[in-house]
Amino acid sequence: MAQKSDKSKTRKKAGRKDAPQSKAQTASFGQWFKQAVANRHAIGETVNFCLSMMLLVVAMFILLSQISYIVNGHLDQSAVEGCGSLAEGPVSNWCGRLGLHTAHYFMDNGFGLTSLLIPVFLLQVSMRLLNAYKVRLWKWFINLTLIMVWGSITLSYVEHNIPLPTEVLQLVPFPWGGSHGNAVSQLLVEDIGPVLTFAVLAVCFLLYCVYLTGETISIVRKMFRPQDYVKRRSHAATPDEEGADEAQGEEKPAADKDAPAADREKLSADYETPLSTVIDLNDAEPTFEVAPATPSAPAGPPAEGTDGAEAGPEFEITVPEADEEGQGDTAADVADLEPYDPRADLSHYEFPPYDLLDDHGATCGVAIDMEEQKANKNRIIEVLHSFGVEITSIKATVGPTITLYEITPAPGVRISKIRNLEDDIALSLSANGIRIIAPIPGKGTIGIEVPNAKPQIVSMESLLNSRTFQETKYELPIALGKTITNEVYMVDLAKLPHLLVAGATGQGKSVGLNAIIGSLLYKKHPAELKFVMVDPKKVEFSIYSPLLNHFLAALPDNDEPIITDVHKVVRTLKSLCVEMDNRYDLLKQAKCKNVKEYNAKFKARHLNPNNGHRFMPYIVVIIDEFGDLIMTAGKEVELPIARIAQLARAVGIHMVIATQRPTTTIITGNIKANFPGRMAFKVMQRIDSQTILDRTGANQLVGRGDMLFLAGAEPVRVQCAFLDTPEVEAISEFIGQQQGYLSPYELPEPPADDGGSPSTPQNDEQLDEMFAEVAQWVVASQQGSTSAIQRKFSIGYNRAGRLTDQLEKAGIVSPARGSKPREVLIRDDQSLQTLLEMLQARI
């Protein structure tokens, strides 16, 4: 008994010792399983690679054995006939006895010559597993199966029912359609006869063509109605129909004929079809998909033409009789006159050549760093997995500056959960400017925009020399840059119709303005476009001074080509309002709705210049540092800008204003309501992005030309084109050295009562001796009511009221707003001191 008890005690002790070992084994197995799950992508790639190599060997073996069987099969018939196992002795097949029997099985007992498609499908499967390129295996399987079945029956039918020479029948030592084709073909011929069998095979072929493309139906219809088709073709070839097709935009685009011949020949494949680089990060290698370089912005109606000779209007115009207003001449008089050419005065004008631009080392396409892409992919998956977010796929679209990672979340994952991980993903990637788009509009994926470690410069030369820009039909085309998909992004300023540019200092705002001006200079003739440039800083637009007698518009008494004086800005804006009203009067007389229709009538000699009618060039007003104008002139600047923005679109006056202070005091409600086009560069605060775009996002950009362009429902991320100062100087000098007009385009004089400075009081009224002191207190306290001034300075109500009126006329406080307090328009002491010095100088 003692011995039994000792043995039991020994077993218990051994059991206690084995228990920790079993727990350790369980823990080690759990760690191994976790590591296997974490490395499942690497394990999967290894397995796929091994399978692809095996399939590649099998496919090549079958293919070579079949080809050898076709060539040398007649020498090996004795080895395969009546043999159920591998034959012994030498064979002529390149793959030996196994290859001989494999080919005999597929070709004699299978589908004949169409059995060659079997190794083709295996090769596709191998390439898909190897990630050499992406293929849709189910489509390949369906198509190859249909071709193989139909082909074997057709080949067997041709072999047995169509008389062919004996030499042709003996080309291959096996039935053309194999056992399958012989059985089905013989069954059809015996049941329905050879004629109906041929008809069935032909109909099956047509049905398969319909499955491939819908054009098959129209081709068959034309075969049954050849005469009607010929008539339609001949009728479509008439000049009238060709003109109608061109009016509907169905003509083939032509390159810009105004560009030099050498530059037109410079159109190369590098810029004809940009590459949209899409990487499926579930695979090992990138896949390049060629995408058409169409702009993302909404396309407007085509322009009148961009070639050297002005094209006729795109709509039909009837010649009016001479009326009491004297708009046009008689039809006989108009027929004797040639169409008016606005470019005739500068008929020898040459557009700037593209060799003035620098490519800045830019290359065609986008350089892809696969190590960076894989590292970012693994970090994104790791961060999402650590927070319990599972995804089913991830794909990367590499752009010049930003890479867009599109992830497909697993079922049941909330989008808000991924959106809240923005800071965690940025921390994991050690990158600034991470932006999450959840979801991507029009797709069932979530986008994560990550800056590239080595951003590329988008040169202006690559945009202007692209086919997209040279063949555009936009009235005022602006090439802004390239999107994430490496496509040229263009907009039509005539359709926007006004553009607001905002961004912090040094983030690319001035370069963006140069890109806008450069695009228009390369596309428009001086007779068709005029600029009004306002530059309070006095250094940004000074390089455009040589354009004075070509592209600039100014008041008659203006001695500077670029407007830098704040008081001249107000007069110029009011002059533009007068120009706008005059143009509307001319449109009313001509019974036209917009400047395009009016100019078309004027070119066709349907409007009499003796009655005041004239050709109207587009006028683009570009204002830099708009915030400085608001601080200095206040409402006197905002009101004419708002009026021009509301009404001037139809008469061809468009505005581009830029500011580095996108606050609500600068970009007011009137400005935002009338400037639908927004161009936002990087800003420092979230509230500034909401002011520009009505949403966040601009505060998450990476700078150096990275911007968000809003012209519709959703903003588009674009890398702005880089146009350096030496390039701008070269363009301006090239244009300035050519023959120009005798003077700039003259704007009308503003009304006499508005001719003075808005900040100067009336001549019969002197400033109160307390004006400066009261103005300083109003700006410091941001209170401008009459009662507050009365209490603060212990003066009478009448004197306080006069001081308030003077403050209003000087632009320091706003007009009375009923029960609401007056708004103080000056925000800092520096702007106030500048205003007071100007007032003292004018009194």
Side-chain angles (χ1 to χ4, degrees), residues 714-779:
E714 294 294 332
V716 180
R717 195 163 187 174
V718 180
Q719 177 61 36
C720 184
F722 181 62
L723 187 62
D724 203 2
T725 302
E727 300 174 75
V728 178
E729 291 178 347
I731 296 172
S732 299
E733 292 176 0
F734 180 84
I735 297 176
Q737 293 173 357
Q738 301 184 51
Q739 178 185 358
Y741 296 101
L742 298 178
S743 62
Y745 183 83
E746 289 190 1
L747 298 175
E749 284 285 348
D753 55 344
D754 292 339
S757 171
S759 300
T760 305
Q762 298 295 331
N763 296 331
D764 58 350
E765 180 181 358
Q766 297 296 326
L767 288 178
D768 193 286
E769 58 185 9
M770 296 181 63
F771 179 82
E773 182 181 0
V774 172
Q776 292 175 356
W777 177 83
V778 167
V779 173

Side-chain angles (χ1 to χ4, degrees), residues 41-42 44-45 48 128 131 134 277-287 289 368-381 391-398 403-408 429 448 450:
H41 296 288
E45 290 182 359
N48 289 341
R128 181 64 180 88
N131 290 325
K134 295 178 64 175
T277 308
V278 180
I279 304 175
D280 191 347
L281 292 179
N282 303 301
D283 305 331
E285 298 295 334
T287 299
E289 299 178 359
I368 302 173
D369 186 353
M370 287 305 302
E371 294 182 358
E372 177 189 353
Q373 303 304 326
K374 289 182 179 180
N376 290 342
K377 175 205 69 171
N378 294 333
R379 293 194 187 103
I380 291 174
I381 294 176
I391 62 175
T392 58
S393 65
I394 181 170
K395 182 177 67 173
T397 302
V398 184
T403 298
L404 174 64
Y405 295 90
E406 295 185 39
I407 61 175
T408 304
L429 298 176
I448 302 176
V450 180

Side-chain angles (χ1 to χ4, degrees), residues 331-379:
D333 296 335
V334 173
D336 296 336
L337 297 176
E338 296 181 357
Y340 174 75
D341 184 9
R343 302 186 180 187
D345 293 338
L346 297 181
S347 58
H348 300 289
Y349 173 80
E350 295 182 3
F351 284 80
Y354 297 112
D355 55 13
L356 298 177
L357 304 175
D358 189 3
D359 59 1
H360 300 286
T363 58
C364 178
V366 178
I368 302 173
D369 186 353
M370 287 305 302
E371 294 182 358
E372 177 189 353
Q373 303 304 326
K374 289 182 179 180
N376 290 342
K377 175 205 69 171
N378 294 333
R379 293 194 187 103

Side-chain angles (χ1 to χ4, degrees), residues 641-704:
I641 287 179
R643 186 165 183 264
I644 293 173
Q646 289 174 355
L647 302 175
R649 171 182 180 177
V651 293
I653 301 177
H654 307 278
M655 300 196 72
V656 178
I657 63 175
T659 180
Q660 63 180 357
R661 297 181 56 192
T663 60
T664 54
T665 57
I666 304 299
I667 305 177
T668 60
N670 286 335
I671 298 298
K672 291 181 63 175
N674 296 289
F675 281 75
R678 316 280 176 82
M679 191 170 165
F681 293 89
K682 180 177 176 59
V683 295
M684 300 306 172
Q685 299 178 3
R686 182 189 297 264
I687 187 63
D688 294 339
S689 177
Q690 292 176 342
T691 303
I692 306 169
L693 303 173
D694 297 324
R695 71 200 72 196
T696 60
N699 57 310
Q700 299 169 318
L701 301 176
V702 297
R704 297 180 61 86

Side-chain angles (χ1 to χ4, degrees), residues 635 808 813-825 827:
K635 295 291 183 180
E808 178 185 343
V813 298
S814 65
R817 301 186 299 174
S819 59
K820 296 182 180 180
R822 295 174 182 263
E823 180 184 0
V824 181
L825 304 178
R827 297 295 180 180

Side-chain angles (χ1 to χ4, degrees), residues 149-216:
V149 172
W150 178 87
S152 65
I153 300 173
T154 304
L155 289 174
S156 180
Y157 174 83
V158 171
E159 182 184 10
H160 295 94
N161 295 277
I162 296 179
L164 296 174
T166 306
E167 295 80 3
V168 176
L169 295 175
Q170 294 179 353
L171 286 177
V172 292
F174 54 86
W176 290 6
S179 300
H180 168 269
N182 286 342
V184 178
S185 174
Q186 183 178 0
L187 179 64
L188 291 176
V189 171
E190 290 178 354
D191 290 346
I192 62 177
V195 177
L196 284 181
T197 301
F198 175 80
V200 170
L201 293 175
V203 170
C204 291
F205 175 75
L206 287 177
L207 292 178
Y208 177 72
C209 293
V210 172
Y211 165 74
L212 290 180
T213 174
E215 295 293 330
T216 306

